[in-house]
């Protein structure tokens, strides 16, 4: 039973494939979001000083991490002590089940794909207004100003960025945490990443309300995703090599050329190879509400993205996860 750790990433992915995300009522990440919202609404509206807003952001972020990362770790440690004292032979089984469930709750590949497929369905029926609404669930920009090509490009961008943000980074921190501090490290680091990533999605917006308050979780998220994004770059290239519909050589060339040309230090490491593999231009000028941002394009291909491009992007997404799981298993075998 000592090698059960090897099967945890695969088990977590299978659980997500079968069950998807739990309903909001039972999902710890939704509890985290509600708690964060309550902390934000409690004092932030009354704080006008920018330094105090920043400090309150640090306080709220630290409180969330203590509650949603350290508390489950404490529960694990207490139960572990019980098993080691009374039922030593069953400890590995308990640790396997506990860690598998934690990792499953911290990744969300099926949910992301379901959102993409919902947009695909509306576009296939030429229902542009409904597709715009469903796209708005996964991107922060103004989707009402988008045509079909824009929406497909935005869907591919969201899929590529979230390939490491919501999935591969969880596997990375689980494996690195285990290598450093056994099960305790694996559980804590994957929970820490999910907590910070959720807070970045909620508070890391560049507007007047969140600019200072959300700066700490936003920069913390950049740090936590720095290594996963760069590993993801190579997983995506390997995935492109395995898929005949992809332009692998262009994925390498465009990926290397544009991987650092984004306002975010991490996003383009996933988006650029997708752009090259599909011969598209991703990113570029967007609207956030009525505010226009003249961002540069990633890639040198066409702006006319089609449903075929989106289908191929989904293949890249699945293949990169499969490759990541292989590497995770090998890594855990070496460190176990």
């Amino acid at each position: 039973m000592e090698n059960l750790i090897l099967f945890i990433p695969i088990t977590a992915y299978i659980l997500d494939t079968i069950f998807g995300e739990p309903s909001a009522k039972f999902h710890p990440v939704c509890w985290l979001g509600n708690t964060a919202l309550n902390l934000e609404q409690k004092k932030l509206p009354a704080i006008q000083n920018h330094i105090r807003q920043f400090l309150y952001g640090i306080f709220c972020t630290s409180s969330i991490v203590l509650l949603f990362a350290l508390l489950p770790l404490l529960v694990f440690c207490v139960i572990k002590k019980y098993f080691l004292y009374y039922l030593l032979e069953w400890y590995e089984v308990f640790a396997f089940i506990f860690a598998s469930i934690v990792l499953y709750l911290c990744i969300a590949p099926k949910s992301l794909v379901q959102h993409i497929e919902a947009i695909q369905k509306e576009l296939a029926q030429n229902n542009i207004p409904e597709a715009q609404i469903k796209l708005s669930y996964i991107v922060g920009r103004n989707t009402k100003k988008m045509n079909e090509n824009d929406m497909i490009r935005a869907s591919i961008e969201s899929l590529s960025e979230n390939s490491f943000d919501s999935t591969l980074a969880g596997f990375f921190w689980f494996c690195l945490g285990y290598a450093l501090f056994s099960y305790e490290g694996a559980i804590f680091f994957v929970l820490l990443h999910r907590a910070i990533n959720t807070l970045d999605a909620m508070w890391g917006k560049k507007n007047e309300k969140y600019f200072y308050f959300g700066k700490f979780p936003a920069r913390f998220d950049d740090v936590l995703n720095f290594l996963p994004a760069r590993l993801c770059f190579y997983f995506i290239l390997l995935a492109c090599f395995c898929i005949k519909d992809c332009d692998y050589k262009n994925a390498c060339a465009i990926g290397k050329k544009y991987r650092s040309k984004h306002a975010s230090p991490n996003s383009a490491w996933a988006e650029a190879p997708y752009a090259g593999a599909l011969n598209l231009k991703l990113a570029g000028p967007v609207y956030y509400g009525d505010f226009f941002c003249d961002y540069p394009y990633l890639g040198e291909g066409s702006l006319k993205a089609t449903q075929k491009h989106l289908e191929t992007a989904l293949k890249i997404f699945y293949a990169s996860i499969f490759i990541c799981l292989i590497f995770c298993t090998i890594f855990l075998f070496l460190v176990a």
Side-chain angles (χ1 to χ4, degrees), residues 199-264:
L199 295 180
D200 175 55
M202 295 179 64
W203 296 338
K205 301 177 177 67
K206 294 181 179 180
N207 57 31
E208 186 177 351
K209 180 179 180 181
Y210 293 110
F211 187 82
Y212 294 97
F213 173 70
K215 190 177 289 291
F216 178 73
R219 297 292 77 80
F220 200 166
D221 185 68
D222 288 341
V223 171
L224 291 179
N225 280 324
F226 186 85
L227 289 176
R230 283 143 185 81
L231 276 176
C232 181
F233 176 82
Y234 294 102
F235 291 153
I236 292 170
L237 290 182
L238 284 172
C240 293
F241 180 77
C242 299
I243 298 170
K244 66 177 182 178
D245 296 330
C246 293
D247 188 337
Y248 170 69
K249 290 183 178 179
N250 201 46
C252 292
I254 295 298
K256 291 176 181 177
K257 183 176 180 179
Y258 287 90
R259 60 190 175 184
S260 299
K261 296 184 178 182
H262 197 286
S264 163

Side-chain angles (χ1 to χ4, degrees), residues 9 59 196 220 265:
F59 169 77
I196 295 299
F220 200 166

Side-chain angles (χ1 to χ4, degrees), residues 251-316:
C252 292
I254 295 298
K256 291 176 181 177
K257 183 176 180 179
Y258 287 90
R259 60 190 175 184
S260 299
K261 296 184 178 182
H262 197 286
S264 163
N266 300 318
S267 297
W269 284 80
E271 292 180 29
Y274 269 78
L278 301 171
N279 284 297
L280 290 174
K281 284 182 180 178
L282 298 179
V286 295
Y287 280 91
Y288 290 95
D290 293 323
F291 183 73
F292 178 72
C293 295
D294 191 17
Y295 292 141
Y297 287 106
L298 297 175
E300 300 169 0
S302 172
L303 290 172
K304 295 182 179 179
T306 65
Q307 291 266 13
K308 180 66 175 176
H309 287 120
L310 191 50
E311 291 171 5
T312 304
L314 283 167
K315 293 178 183 177
I316 298 172

Side-chain angles (χ1 to χ4, degrees), residues 30-40 64 67-68 202-203:
C30 295
W31 303 343
L32 185 157
N34 291 333
T35 304
L37 190 61
N38 289 332
L39 280 172
E40 171 197 329
I64 293 294
L67 186 60
F68 287 92
M202 295 179 64
W203 296 338

Side-chain angles (χ1 to χ4, degrees), residues 114-251:
Q114 286 174 331
H115 282 295
I116 298 295
E117 289 176 340
I119 298 165
Q120 275 184 306
K121 182 180 178 181
E122 299 301 336
L123 290 175
Q125 297 173 355
N126 202 30
N127 191 348
I128 301 299
E130 191 63 28
Q132 291 170 334
I133 292 172
K134 292 186 175 179
L135 177 60
S136 70
Y137 298 157
I138 59 173
V139 300
R141 63 199 72 171
N142 188 344
T143 59
K144 292 181 180 179
K145 294 181 180 290
M146 293 183 180
N147 59 31
E148 181 175 350
N149 295 142
D150 294 333
M151 284 189 285
I152 293 174
R153 289 172 53 249
S155 298
I156 294 171
E157 291 167 37
S158 182
L159 183 68
S160 61
E161 183 177 355
N162 280 289
S163 65
F164 75 84
D165 211 9
S166 68
T167 303
L168 301 183
F171 292 137
F172 170 85
W173 282 113
F174 181 88
C175 292
L176 182 60
Y178 181 83
L180 294 174
F181 305 109
S182 190
Y183 280 105
E184 290 84 351
I187 291 167
F188 174 73
F189 279 115
V190 75
L191 287 169
L192 173 67
H193 174 266
R194 176 47 52 213
I196 295 299
N197 188 248
T198 303
L199 295 180
D200 175 55
M202 295 179 64
W203 296 338
K205 301 177 177 67
K206 294 181 179 180
N207 57 31
E208 186 177 351
K209 180 179 180 181
Y210 293 110
F211 187 82
Y212 294 97
F213 173 70
K215 190 177 289 291
F216 178 73
R219 297 292 77 80
F220 200 166
D221 185 68
D222 288 341
V223 171
L224 291 179
N225 280 324
F226 186 85
L227 289 176
R230 283 143 185 81
L231 276 176
C232 181
F233 176 82
Y234 294 102
F235 291 153
I236 292 170
L237 290 182
L238 284 172
C240 293
F241 180 77
C242 299
I243 298 170
K244 66 177 182 178
D245 296 330
C246 293
D247 188 337
Y248 170 69
K249 290 183 178 179
N250 201 46

